[in-house]
Amino acid sequence: MPRNSRAFGAKTFLEEKPRILESCAAFQEARRRADEEHGPRSAKSFAATRQLRKDTLLQLKAASLEAYEDRGTALAMLSVSGRLLYNCCDSLTEDPELVLAAIANFPRAIGYAGDNLLDDKDFVLRAAQTNPLTPSLEFVSKRLREDREVVLTYLPAGNPLLWASTRLQGDKEVVLAALQDDAWPLMWVSQELRNDPEVVMQALKTQGERPRRRQQRNIFMEAGEGCRRDKDIILLAMRMGHEAAIASVYHLALKVHPILQMVPLERFESVAMNALAVPGEDAPILTVWVRHSQSGSCSSSNNSNDNH
């Protein structure tokens, strides 16, 4: 909660309130002009009002307890920064309009909402639509994290399956929907679905089509062991540049077929890609690789002997 002080040097709340409202209105006008000039929510618009936001927040953080207990004053302050919801009294954190106003400019303000709101399905669904950067499912009540509609609505937030119930982490339709925009949720799906070729293929395709910094981790290694041995999945992973798909299978192959020690990893990648491209091949994948590797090794040996 704020210190026992007042914003803008006011001595009483009656002096403080109009100064807060005037300051917040000035910031809102400056932001409106910046949005018109540079585009709504653009980086340039934000930069144009950065200093004014900083100066205004410095004063608002010093506002009195009375300011954070007064609905009109609190609503004005939240238009500057949703983070200030943290300072509001308990009754205001249960006010849907006020909390939605905070979420509109700071998605994680949902974490400061009252428990009753976080267990209200209607409010939770409205909160997801309030900001283009969807709030995190992390703060929603456990009961609603069991709700299929709620989890699907929060998919744009990223990593919703991390916070979803165990039941929904094993719901194939929900999982496939989550993987349409982000490969990362594969980390949190049920073991059964990690061994589902359709699920793993979707994760690999998404990572290839929508690369993100957080997706640099090798999604192939999050697949179940059965899928990591699947010919089509390995081929797709290798084509997507998943080095672990090559290296892990290479070391697995060494245990099964020691003769592959004769084939360097770089050579193995080329051999594997050629082997996987064989149409209609129904032999076990490692056998295919070994056959091609042996052939390549023999050819190299023969060429070497011919040269000598």
Side-chain angles (χ1 to χ4, degrees):
M1 294 296 290
R3 297 189 302 273
N4 188 21
S5 57
R6 296 192 186 279
F8 304 105
K11 295 182 179 180
T12 66
F13 179 58
L14 290 178
E15 290 181 8
E16 181 184 39
K17 180 173 180 176
R19 295 178 186 181
I20 289 176
L21 296 179
E22 181 181 355
S23 176
C24 293
F27 173 76
Q28 287 285 63
E29 178 60 21
R31 183 163 62 182
R32 184 190 65 77
R33 291 197 304 267
D35 284 348
E36 287 181 354
E37 182 178 353
H38 303 293
R41 297 181 180 272
S42 67
K44 288 185 177 180
S45 176
F46 182 83
T49 57
R50 181 183 288 116
Q51 189 58 49
L52 180 58
R53 176 186 285 104
K54 182 178 178 181
D55 294 341
T56 304
L57 272 175
L58 189 62
Q59 290 293 333
L60 297 182
K61 287 178 179 178
S64 65
L65 294 176
E66 293 167 287
Y68 284 103
E69 291 172 349
D70 181 80
R71 189 177 187 279
T73 307
L75 192 57
M77 292 192 290
L78 292 174
S79 70
V80 177
S81 174
R83 289 179 173 88
L84 296 175
L85 182 64
Y86 174 78
N87 295 329
C88 291
C89 65
D90 292 345
S91 63
L92 293 185
T93 62
E94 293 285 1
D95 185 314
E97 181 185 355
L98 193 141
V99 176
L100 289 174
I103 293 172
N105 60 59
F106 181 56
R108 292 187 68 82
I110 192 174
Y112 305 140
D115 292 341
N116 291 331
L117 285 183
L118 294 176
D119 194 44
D120 182 322
K121 182 174 178 178
D122 180 61
F123 168 80
V124 166
L125 291 176
R126 288 171 63 196
Q129 307 298 329
T130 299
N131 193 311
L133 301 174
T134 307
S136 174
L137 190 65
E138 170 187 1
F139 304 106
V140 173
S141 71
K142 183 177 180 180
R143 179 181 72 86
L144 291 181
R145 280 185 266 147
E146 291 266 4
D147 189 294
R148 210 160 180 272
E149 183 183 1
V150 169
V151 173
L152 288 172
T153 302
Y154 275 71
L155 290 184
N159 298 343
L161 292 184
L162 170 62
W163 309 108
S165 66
T166 303
R167 178 179 64 83
L168 292 180
Q169 288 174 344
D171 185 312
K172 186 171 180 178
E173 184 179 346
V174 171
V175 168
L176 287 175
L179 293 173
Q180 290 295 320
D181 187 59
D182 194 346
W184 211 234
L186 186 64
M187 292 182 63
W188 295 292
V189 308
S190 67
Q191 193 59 43
E192 179 183 357
L193 291 183
R194 287 194 192 195
N195 278 297
D196 187 307
E198 183 181 0
V199 169
V200 176
M201 291 281 275
Q202 181 59 58
L204 291 172
K205 289 176 181 176
T206 298
Q207 186 172 42
E209 295 168 357
R210 300 176 177 84
R212 297 178 180 178
R213 180 174 298 177
R214 67 178 176 178
Q215 289 183 351
Q216 294 306 308
R217 182 186 175 102
N218 203 303
I219 291 300
F220 173 80
M221 295 307 295
E222 302 299 335
E225 185 176 353
C227 283
R228 292 203 303 271
R229 292 170 179 262
D230 184 280
K231 176 176 177 178
D232 293 330
I233 289 175
I234 295 172
L235 176 57
L236 177 61
M238 292 172 68
R239 284 177 175 164
M240 294 291 183
H242 290 265
E243 295 179 2
I246 303 165
S248 63
V249 179
Y250 174 68
H251 292 297
L252 174 64
L254 283 178
K255 295 179 182 179
V256 180
H257 300 285
I259 193 171
L260 281 177
Q261 292 177 1
M262 300 170 61
V263 185
L265 179 57
E266 296 76 13
R267 165 73 177 151
F268 181 79
E269 177 180 358
S270 174
V271 167
M273 290 295 286
N274 291 333
L276 286 166
V278 176
E281 180 64 66
D282 57 2
I285 188 168
L286 293 180
T287 303
V288 175
W289 280 341
V290 169
R291 187 170 66 247
H292 282 255
S293 299
Q294 289 175 320
S295 175
S297 298
C298 292
S299 297
S300 298
S301 299
N302 292 335
N303 291 337
S304 177
N305 291 333
D306 290 343
N307 291 334
H308 285 293

